[in-house]
Amino acid sequence: MCWRDLPGSRKGNADVASPAFSLGELAQRYRLELRGAADRTVSGVATLAKAEAHQLGFLANPRYRRELARTRAGVLVLHPDELPHWAGDALLARDPYAAFARIAALFEASEPLACGVHPSAVIAADAQVDPQAAIGPLVTIGARSRVLRGARIGPGCVIGEDCVVGEDCELVARVCLVKRVRLGARVRIHPGAVLGADGFGLAMHEGRWIKVPQLGGVVVGEDCEIGANTTIDRGALEDTVLEEDVRLDNQIQIGHNAVIGAHTAMAGCVAVAGSARIGRNCLIGGGAGITGHIEITDRVIVQAKSFVTRSITEPGTYGSAVPAREARAWTRTLARLNRLGEKTPR
């Protein structure tokens, strides 16, 4: 196997013309209703404030409706109810933001890795790499690990022992799969993430800590995305599990033996302690903390900076963070809190 540029691969954005798509093509591809000229083309996407005549913008939040009068976008993706406020070409969608996201992906330029193994990669003799996988510079693949068809392993990644990288996965760069990590198809992991490190398992004996061996692994379902510098510990006896289509932002910590249900999303700096179980279709706000050995049912929203210490058994929105306020007002509030429980003088 050799390492070389694929025929027709990009040589850098400056040398490659931006793709262009007609409104008719976009409407047909994404099943959108078209209002305007089907042969009009767009060659990029942008916000309402920054868009030019050749670009496509979107309106998903009515709070930005006032910008419709000022935008120079050639076409907008918007809800049918917004048509009275826009006289230009439009693609109509019940969920404009989701439609815009799908269209924007057409303009995401990336440098493809060529199939094969870079000469600087180090691969164990009993590891298996599919010929249609791409292994980048300075990659290490450990014993008994497998990289399946279409997987793309970027520069500096480390794949330890007994790991499986599923079909069409992408490890962007400097990703570390420590041990016994199994990725389903189409998982994307961003730089600096570490999966399969030891969980924080300790037992106190006669005043000293004894390390509890972490004998499980990490199982990641299909179509998951894991952000930069996020860490997912392997289980102590059973596996730490992310079901399909879980989306984790940057700098999240998932403790050992945790289970995250399908289609759940977490914003940056969330911490989930060991053996917590989070249901499906949950949204966990940035900086939230979830203590160990509790369960959160399906379709729960935990607001940013909240601390969940007990199981949540009913769907809904939960929060415990105190919003910031002017410093002197907060000092007065604290003073009142400190006096709670005091007897009121007669």
Side-chain angles (χ1 to χ4, degrees):
M1 289 183 284
C2 64
W3 181 262
R4 62 187 182 275
D5 289 327
L6 290 171
S9 64
R10 297 180 184 270
K11 301 295 184 181
N13 293 339
D15 299 328
V16 180
S18 298
F21 300 91
S22 72
L23 301 191
E25 179 183 0
L26 295 176
Q28 182 177 12
R29 180 182 296 199
Y30 299 110
R31 298 182 179 180
L32 305 174
E33 183 180 350
L34 171 62
R35 294 294 178 90
D39 59 350
R40 180 168 189 167
T41 61
V42 291
S43 56
V45 295
T47 63
L48 290 175
K50 300 292 186 180
E52 300 292 340
H54 66 281
Q55 293 177 311
L56 176 143
F58 73 102
L59 176 67
N61 190 331
R63 289 186 297 178
Y64 294 96
R65 187 182 294 149
R66 64 185 181 275
E67 295 191 18
L68 293 179
R70 298 189 294 267
T71 186
R72 293 186 291 178
V75 61
L76 294 184
V77 179
L78 40 74
H79 192 277
D81 292 348
E82 299 293 344
L83 267 181
H85 308 285
W86 174 248
D89 291 344
L91 294 169
L92 305 182
R94 293 294 172 182
D95 188 342
Y97 191 48
F100 176 80
R102 293 187 180 99
I103 294 171
L106 298 174
F107 300 97
E108 184 179 23
S110 60
E111 295 289 340
L113 291 176
C115 295
V117 179
H118 192 275
S120 64
V122 177
I123 301 176
D126 57 353
Q128 300 176 30
V129 177
D130 189 279
Q132 296 303 310
I135 309 300
L138 303 176
V139 169
T140 301
I141 301 177
R144 300 174 299 281
S145 287
R146 294 186 293 139
V147 179
L148 303 188
R149 181 184 179 90
R152 300 174 299 284
I153 312 300
C157 291
V158 176
I159 299 173
E161 301 171 357
D162 301 300
C163 294
V164 177
V165 179
E167 292 186 358
D168 298 315
C169 286
E170 181 180 11
L171 279 56
V172 177
R174 296 184 295 102
V175 172
C176 183
L177 309 182
V178 178
K179 186 182 294 186
R180 294 191 292 276
V181 178
R182 301 189 296 282
L183 306 181
R186 300 174 302 280
V187 172
R188 191 179 194 196
I189 306 180
H190 292 275
V194 178
L195 281 66
D198 279 1
F200 195 56
L202 300 169
M204 174 62 73
H205 178 67
E206 297 180 351
R208 298 181 65 87
W209 292 112
I210 299 175
K211 183 176 178 61
V212 178
Q214 304 296 287
L215 304 178
V218 175
V219 177
V220 179
E222 295 180 350
D223 300 305
C224 291
E225 185 162 4
I226 297 168
N229 294 327
T230 284
T231 54
I232 304 175
D233 295 340
R234 70 177 184 267
L237 297 175
E238 299 179 352
D239 295 327
T240 303
V241 177
L242 274 62
E243 295 180 352
E244 69 271 15
D245 192 35
V246 169
R247 305 298 172 124
L248 303 183
D249 196 4
N250 302 332
Q251 299 182 25
I252 288 174
Q253 160 66 13
I254 306 295
H256 62 180
N257 297 108
V259 177
I260 313 299
H263 317 298
T264 285
M266 299 185 183
C269 298
V270 167
V272 178
S275 298
R277 299 182 68 90
I278 299 174
R280 294 180 165 221
N281 299 103
C282 293
L283 299 176
I284 312 298
I290 298 171
T291 194
H293 303 277
I294 66 170
E295 295 189 17
I296 295 176
T297 193
D298 299 344
R299 300 187 183 280
V300 166
I301 298 173
V302 176
Q303 295 178 333
K305 290 291 185 180
S306 298
F307 186 31
V308 183
T309 61
R310 297 181 180 179
S311 292
I312 297 176
T313 59
E314 295 291 333
T317 300
Y318 297 80
S320 64
V322 179
R325 60 193 68 190
E326 192 272 331
R328 286 175 294 181
W330 175 235
T331 300
R332 290 193 295 269
T333 300
L334 282 178
R336 296 187 187 101
L337 288 173
N338 289 332
R339 290 196 295 269
L340 290 177
E342 294 180 1
K343 293 182 178 180
T344 303
R346 296 183 178 179

